[in-house]
PDB file of all heavy atoms in Angstrom:
ATOM      1  N   TYR A 239      -3.549  10.073  -7.027  1.00  0.00           N
ATOM      2  CA  TYR A 239      -4.583   9.955  -8.038  1.00  0.00           C
ATOM      3  C   TYR A 239      -5.045   8.443  -8.445  1.00  0.00           C
ATOM      4  O   TYR A 239      -5.950   8.227  -9.195  1.00  0.00           O
ATOM      5  CB  TYR A 239      -4.069  10.669  -9.276  1.00  0.00           C
ATOM      6  CG  TYR A 239      -3.765  12.108  -9.125  1.00  0.00           C
ATOM      7  CD1 TYR A 239      -2.458  12.556  -9.081  1.00  0.00           C
ATOM      8  CD2 TYR A 239      -4.814  13.075  -8.837  1.00  0.00           C
ATOM      9  CE1 TYR A 239      -2.200  13.892  -8.842  1.00  0.00           C
ATOM     10  CE2 TYR A 239      -4.401  14.256  -8.694  1.00  0.00           C
ATOM     11  CZ  TYR A 239      -3.132  14.693  -8.661  1.00  0.00           C
ATOM     12  OH  TYR A 239      -2.959  16.049  -8.453  1.00  0.00           O
ATOM     13  N   SER A 240      -4.401   7.546  -7.837  1.00  0.00           N
ATOM     14  CA  SER A 240      -4.732   6.191  -8.034  1.00  0.00           C
ATOM     15  C   SER A 240      -5.796   5.667  -7.010  1.00  0.00           C
ATOM     16  O   SER A 240      -6.329   4.533  -7.304  1.00  0.00           O
ATOM     17  CB  SER A 240      -3.467   5.182  -7.956  1.00  0.00           C
ATOM     18  OG  SER A 240      -3.060   5.201  -6.547  1.00  0.00           O
ATOM     19  N   THR A 241      -6.203   6.491  -6.130  1.00  0.00           N
ATOM     20  CA  THR A 241      -7.202   6.126  -5.137  1.00  0.00           C
ATOM     21  C   THR A 241      -8.509   5.655  -5.768  1.00  0.00           C
ATOM     22  O   THR A 241      -9.021   4.519  -5.378  1.00  0.00           O
ATOM     23  CB  THR A 241      -7.424   7.255  -4.220  1.00  0.00           C
ATOM     24  OG1 THR A 241      -6.062   7.474  -3.553  1.00  0.00           O
ATOM     25  CG2 THR A 241      -8.375   6.755  -3.125  1.00  0.00           C
ATOM     26  N   PRO A 242      -9.069   6.383  -6.587  1.00  0.00           N
ATOM     27  CA  PRO A 242     -10.405   5.952  -7.142  1.00  0.00           C
ATOM     28  C   PRO A 242     -10.259   4.648  -7.965  1.00  0.00           C
ATOM     29  O   PRO A 242     -11.278   3.833  -7.938  1.00  0.00           O
ATOM     30  CB  PRO A 242     -10.871   7.094  -8.122  1.00  0.00           C
ATOM     31  CG  PRO A 242     -10.038   8.260  -7.664  1.00  0.00           C
ATOM     32  CD  PRO A 242      -8.799   7.708  -7.155  1.00  0.00           C
ATOM     33  N   LEU A 243      -9.151   4.387  -8.456  1.00  0.00           N
ATOM     34  CA  LEU A 243      -9.025   3.150  -9.342  1.00  0.00           C
ATOM     35  C   LEU A 243      -8.996   1.869  -8.473  1.00  0.00           C
ATOM     36  O   LEU A 243      -9.391   0.758  -8.871  1.00  0.00           O
ATOM     37  CB  LEU A 243      -7.701   3.197 -10.053  1.00  0.00           C
ATOM     38  CG  LEU A 243      -7.479   4.275 -11.106  1.00  0.00           C
ATOM     39  CD1 LEU A 243      -6.166   4.295 -11.777  1.00  0.00           C
ATOM     40  CD2 LEU A 243      -8.578   4.106 -12.174  1.00  0.00           C
ATOM     41  N   GLN A 244      -8.638   2.132  -7.178  1.00  0.00           N
ATOM     42  CA  GLN A 244      -8.718   0.910  -6.273  1.00  0.00           C
ATOM     43  C   GLN A 244     -10.114   0.528  -5.829  1.00  0.00           C
ATOM     44  O   GLN A 244     -10.377  -0.633  -5.396  1.00  0.00           O
ATOM     45  CB  GLN A 244      -7.976   1.231  -5.043  1.00  0.00           C
ATOM     46  CG  GLN A 244      -6.443   1.563  -5.176  1.00  0.00           C
ATOM     47  CD  GLN A 244      -5.621   2.077  -3.969  1.00  0.00           C
ATOM     48  OE1 GLN A 244      -6.032   1.588  -2.832  1.00  0.00           O
ATOM     49  NE2 GLN A 244      -4.794   2.926  -4.118  1.00  0.00           N
ATOM     50  N   ILE A 245     -11.052   1.400  -6.189  1.00  0.00           N
ATOM     51  CA  ILE A 245     -12.431   0.963  -6.086  1.00  0.00           C
ATOM     52  C   ILE A 245     -12.944   0.539  -7.398  1.00  0.00           C
ATOM     53  O   ILE A 245     -13.720  -0.448  -7.442  1.00  0.00           O
ATOM     54  CB  ILE A 245     -13.373   2.212  -5.570  1.00  0.00           C
ATOM     55  CG1 ILE A 245     -12.935   2.599  -4.096  1.00  0.00           C
ATOM     56  CG2 ILE A 245     -14.848   1.933  -5.643  1.00  0.00           C
ATOM     57  CD1 ILE A 245     -13.777   3.829  -3.680  1.00  0.00           C
ATOM     58  N   ALA A 246     -12.552   1.245  -8.437  1.00  0.00           N
ATOM     59  CA  ALA A 246     -13.165   0.910  -9.791  1.00  0.00           C
ATOM     60  C   ALA A 246     -12.650  -0.446 -10.249  1.00  0.00           C
ATOM     61  O   ALA A 246     -13.455  -1.075 -10.939  1.00  0.00           O
ATOM     62  CB  ALA A 246     -12.712   2.048 -10.836  1.00  0.00           C
ATOM     63  N   ALA A 247     -11.421  -0.762  -9.998  1.00  0.00           N
ATOM     64  CA  ALA A 247     -10.901  -2.062 -10.472  1.00  0.00           C
ATOM     65  C   ALA A 247     -11.631  -3.251 -10.118  1.00  0.00           C
ATOM     66  O   ALA A 247     -12.124  -4.084 -10.865  1.00  0.00           O
ATOM     67  CB  ALA A 247      -9.447  -2.110 -10.204  1.00  0.00           C
ATOM     68  N   PRO A 248     -11.731  -3.525  -8.777  1.00  0.00           N
ATOM     69  CA  PRO A 248     -12.461  -4.675  -8.284  1.00  0.00           C
ATOM     70  C   PRO A 248     -13.982  -4.618  -8.622  1.00  0.00           C
ATOM     71  O   PRO A 248     -14.630  -5.634  -8.946  1.00  0.00           O
ATOM     72  CB  PRO A 248     -12.271  -4.679  -6.777  1.00  0.00           C
ATOM     73  CG  PRO A 248     -11.840  -3.248  -6.469  1.00  0.00           C
ATOM     74  CD  PRO A 248     -11.113  -2.718  -7.598  1.00  0.00           C
ATOM     75  N   THR A 249     -14.612  -3.399  -8.766  1.00  0.00           N
ATOM     76  CA  THR A 249     -15.996  -3.266  -9.095  1.00  0.00           C
ATOM     77  C   THR A 249     -16.131  -3.788 -10.569  1.00  0.00           C
ATOM     78  O   THR A 249     -17.129  -4.479 -10.850  1.00  0.00           O
ATOM     79  CB  THR A 249     -16.450  -1.820  -9.031  1.00  0.00           C
ATOM     80  OG1 THR A 249     -16.403  -1.402  -7.560  1.00  0.00           O
ATOM     81  CG2 THR A 249     -17.867  -1.718  -9.442  1.00  0.00           C
ATOM     82  N   LEU A 250     -15.316  -3.255 -11.457  1.00  0.00           N
ATOM     83  CA  LEU A 250     -15.476  -3.710 -12.750  1.00  0.00           C
ATOM     84  C   LEU A 250     -15.101  -5.194 -13.025  1.00  0.00           C
ATOM     85  O   LEU A 250     -15.847  -5.819 -13.871  1.00  0.00           O
ATOM     86  CB  LEU A 250     -14.332  -2.850 -13.691  1.00  0.00           C
ATOM     87  CG  LEU A 250     -14.416  -2.998 -15.201  1.00  0.00           C
ATOM     88  CD1 LEU A 250     -15.720  -2.506 -15.624  1.00  0.00           C
ATOM     89  CD2 LEU A 250     -13.280  -2.341 -15.769  1.00  0.00           C
ATOM     90  N   ALA A 251     -14.140  -5.691 -12.293  1.00  0.00           N
ATOM     91  CA  ALA A 251     -13.858  -7.114 -12.388  1.00  0.00           C
ATOM     92  C   ALA A 251     -15.054  -8.038 -11.919  1.00  0.00           C
ATOM     93  O   ALA A 251     -15.298  -9.003 -12.522  1.00  0.00           O
ATOM     94  CB  ALA A 251     -12.711  -7.439 -11.674  1.00  0.00           C
TER      95      ALA A 251
END
Side-chain angles (χ1 to χ4, degrees):
Y239 302 108
S240 64
T241 300
L243 297 178
Q244 296 174 37
I245 295 178
T249 299
L250 186 62

